[in-house]
Amino acid sequence: MDFGLTREQAMVRGAAREFAQKGIAPTVGDDERGHCYNDKIVKEMAKLGFFGFIAPERYGGTEMGYLAATIAAMEIAKESPSYGVTFNLQMNAIQSVLLAFGTEEQRARYIPPLISADAYGCFALTEADTGSDIASMLTTAREIDDGFVLNGSKMWISGVPVATVGIIYAMTDPEKRHRGMSAFMIDMQTPGIEQCAITEKLGLHSSPTGEIVFADVRVPRDAIVGKPGDGFKIAMHMLDRTRLSCAARSAGVAEKCFDLAKHYANERQQFGQSIINFQMIQDQLARMWCEHEAAKLLVFKAAWMLDNLEKVGGRPTLQISTAKYYGAEAAVMAANEAMKIFGSYGYGTEYPIERFYRDAKSYQIVEGTSNIQKTIIARNFFEEKKG
Ligand SMILES: Cc1cc2nc3c(=O)[nH]c(=O)nc-3n(C[C@H](O)[C@H](O)[C@H](O)COP(=O)(O)OP(=O)(O)OC[C@H]3O[C@@H](n4cnc5c(N)ncnc54)[C@H](O)[C@@H]3O)c2cc1C
């Protein structure tokens, strides 16, 4: 289904699908089993222009927009949720922030190498003791004459330990809580920064995740993005974009699980017939179909809104959180149902179902948990009391 995609958007989908099938699928099983992050794949994605959808041409981008970006992310995630994460690290997190809040110098310095994958990005909000409640973060940035000194640590950060640049959130005025948070664009080789990998996790084994420690890290004044105290506003802007990508990837995983399960149900014979003849299998497939179709449409709508902010007249946070919540739940549901339809073969590693089952769980956590998305959605339900 083309869903009114432009010719260019349809070409992006074709290129992403082809690359996912030819450039990622042949090695994805071995890479995941070996916990191998293959930067050649990221560089190939860069060559295809996958990290340039939101930036103008003068920085090396195409400015095709968020709908194109979500279509590409969806296709990559169908083969590898791990390499799907790179859309946020190379593009949605850092570029969107610098384009909206950065200086010309910051944009010119950081965006081109992220688009070409000569730099590897990360964004760091989460800490060991603060996840959903980001305003309680403990990492500080103390102002000094010529800049800031960062101290603290970040946990569960995608792209670590291979990140070369990062957008780091820290408190410049902790007592003011969310009004005292600031964002910094930082070279990860700055003295005092240590990156360590988290080696044991459920899935996304080709997507590095780790911890960053900041010990008296001196950064120049021009490392700050926007003004001191702008960090929370910047983080919300960023999360709208990173959540949308997450929603797109989860819709891709839901669709892939459906496709694999449908094919298997046609092939697998029990009681002298294909198991797709059994009504209970049809029920499972029908529900998986509805869930992934709904997830995809919510993603397309939210992406279209982000690309048409002047028509929409305001931030489409409600639609993005709706797509993120629904997509994550649809991916987990579809992977779970696919596991059942595949029986023992789902539990084994011959088919990728167990990998999608593990990877899909991340979508319910990252970029704000499913509960947090429901909280954001429900904020819109309070009616003003009269009188
Ligand atoms: C693979 C992976 C990659 C990640 N990558 C990054 C990254 O690149 N950068 C980054 O900054 N972070 C990253 N994270 C961290 C992720 O964003 C956080 O884990 C997430 O925001 C949840 O925080 P938490 O784990 O501390 O859970 P908590 O906030 O401790 O939540 C625990 C539980 O309580 C619930 N809960 C909390 N508050 C409420 C509330 N108000 N109402 C209802 N329920 C609530 C949550 O839904 C959850 O079920 C990553 C995490 C993973 C697993």
Side-chain angles (χ1 to χ4, degrees):
M1 182 194 71
D2 271 354
F3 190 66
L5 298 184
T6 63
R7 199 172 140 265
E8 288 76 19
Q9 287 161 348
M11 281 168 70
V12 165
R13 187 179 56 186
R17 190 171 288 174
E18 188 179 349
F19 179 70
Q21 287 168 1
K22 294 188 182 155
I24 299 181
T27 55
V28 67
D30 287 344
D31 282 354
E32 286 287 332
R33 273 187 288 280
H35 292 219
C36 165
Y37 166 76
N38 187 345
D39 66 347
K40 284 199 196 99
I41 287 180
V42 183
K43 288 205 187 298
E44 286 301 318
M45 289 168 72
K47 273 193 207 147
L48 289 164
F50 290 171
F51 306 132
F53 291 121
I54 63 170
E57 225 172 299
R58 65 181 180 282
Y59 305 121
T62 55
E63 237 177 338
M64 285 182 71
Y66 285 97
L67 185 51
T70 57
I71 291 165
M74 208 178 267
E75 292 302 325
I76 297 296
K78 282 184 197 170
E79 298 303 334
S80 168
S82 283
Y83 290 106
V85 176
T86 56
F87 284 93
N88 272 357
L89 308 181
Q90 298 301 118
M91 179 170 59
N92 299 309
I94 301 180
Q95 292 185 41
S96 74
V97 162
L98 295 185
L99 288 168
F101 302 97
T103 60
E104 184 49 38
E105 202 271 329
Q106 286 171 330
R107 292 176 193 160
R109 179 170 168 196
Y110 290 108
I111 294 178
L114 282 166
I115 291 178
S116 60
D118 289 311
Y120 295 116
C122 71
F123 66 94
L125 280 162
T126 307
E127 302 182 356
D129 292 327
T130 59
S132 306
D133 181 16
I134 58 170
S136 297
M137 69 173 55
L138 298 174
T139 299
T140 55
R142 183 168 49 85
E143 204 162 349
I144 53 169
D145 284 348
D146 56 349
F148 297 85
V149 180
L150 270 71
N151 277 291
S153 63
K154 297 287 174 182
M155 191 74 179
W156 291 108
I157 306 305
S158 299
V160 169
V162 297
T164 58
V165 296
I167 186 140
I168 311 297
Y169 294 85
M171 301 307 276
T172 37
D173 193 345
E175 281 181 12
K176 287 193 184 156
R177 291 186 47 84
H178 64 280
R179 286 196 195 84
M181 188 190 296
S182 301
F184 296 88
M185 190 61 224
I186 286 179
D187 289 308
M188 297 298 284
Q189 300 83 2
T190 309
I193 295 182
E194 200 187 332
Q195 301 188 55
C196 343
I198 294 170
T199 49
E200 296 293 329
K201 61 185 197 306
L202 181 67
L204 297 178
H205 292 317
S206 294
S207 169
T209 314
E211 185 179 358
I212 316 173
V213 178
F214 301 91
D216 288 327
V217 177
R218 293 175 77 104
V219 297
R221 187 156 293 277
D222 63 10
I224 196 162
V225 184
K227 300 188 299 301
D230 281 351
F232 191 81
K233 179 176 70 180
I234 292 173
M236 294 305 113
H237 177 94
M238 177 190 84
L239 287 169
D240 270 352
R241 276 90 189 149
T242 55
R243 277 175 188 154
L244 175 66
S245 178
C246 183
R249 288 178 267 131
S250 55
V253 166
E255 182 167 357
K256 180 74 181 190
C257 289
F258 167 79
D259 285 343
L260 290 167
K262 180 188 70 173
H263 181 68
Y264 187 82
N266 275 286
E267 297 281 303
R268 179 71 174 171
Q269 301 282 316
Q270 290 294 291
F271 300 96
Q273 54 189 310
S274 298
I275 61 170
I276 199 159
N277 289 330
F278 302 130
Q279 262 189 356
M280 277 190 259
I281 299 280
Q282 291 169 18
D283 167 80
Q284 286 172 279
L285 287 169
R287 285 188 293 114
M288 289 163 80
W289 166 264
C290 294
E291 293 298 312
H292 89 69
E293 274 291 293
K296 240 186 343 184
L297 292 173
L298 286 169
V299 168
F300 288 157
K301 179 181 175 187
W304 180 88
M305 290 177 87
L306 214 43
D307 284 338
N308 291 277
L309 285 176
E310 70 294 345
K311 287 187 201 152
V312 171
R315 284 173 54 195
T317 303
L318 171 63
Q319 283 75 18
I320 289 169
S321 282
T322 308
K324 159 64 167 82
Y325 168 73
Y326 204 89
E329 299 302 316
V332 170
M333 179 271 186
N336 190 34
E337 294 303 316
M339 282 287 278
K340 292 185 220 165
I341 290 172
F342 271 76
S344 303
Y345 291 98
Y347 203 72
T349 55
E350 182 186 342
Y351 294 95
I353 300 299
E354 57 83 30
R355 175 162 61 82
F356 287 117
Y357 182 75
R358 289 183 286 108
D359 290 352
K361 288 303 289 181
S362 72
Y363 300 134
Q364 293 175 319
I365 304 167
V366 298
E367 323 297 336
T369 63
S370 284
N371 273 5
I372 292 302
Q373 303 316 311
K374 284 187 283 183
T375 306
I376 294 168
I377 293 164
R379 250 181 234 153
N380 293 275
F381 303 158
F382 294 93
E383 294 175 0
E384 270 183 44
K385 293 205 172 55
K386 295 193 180 90

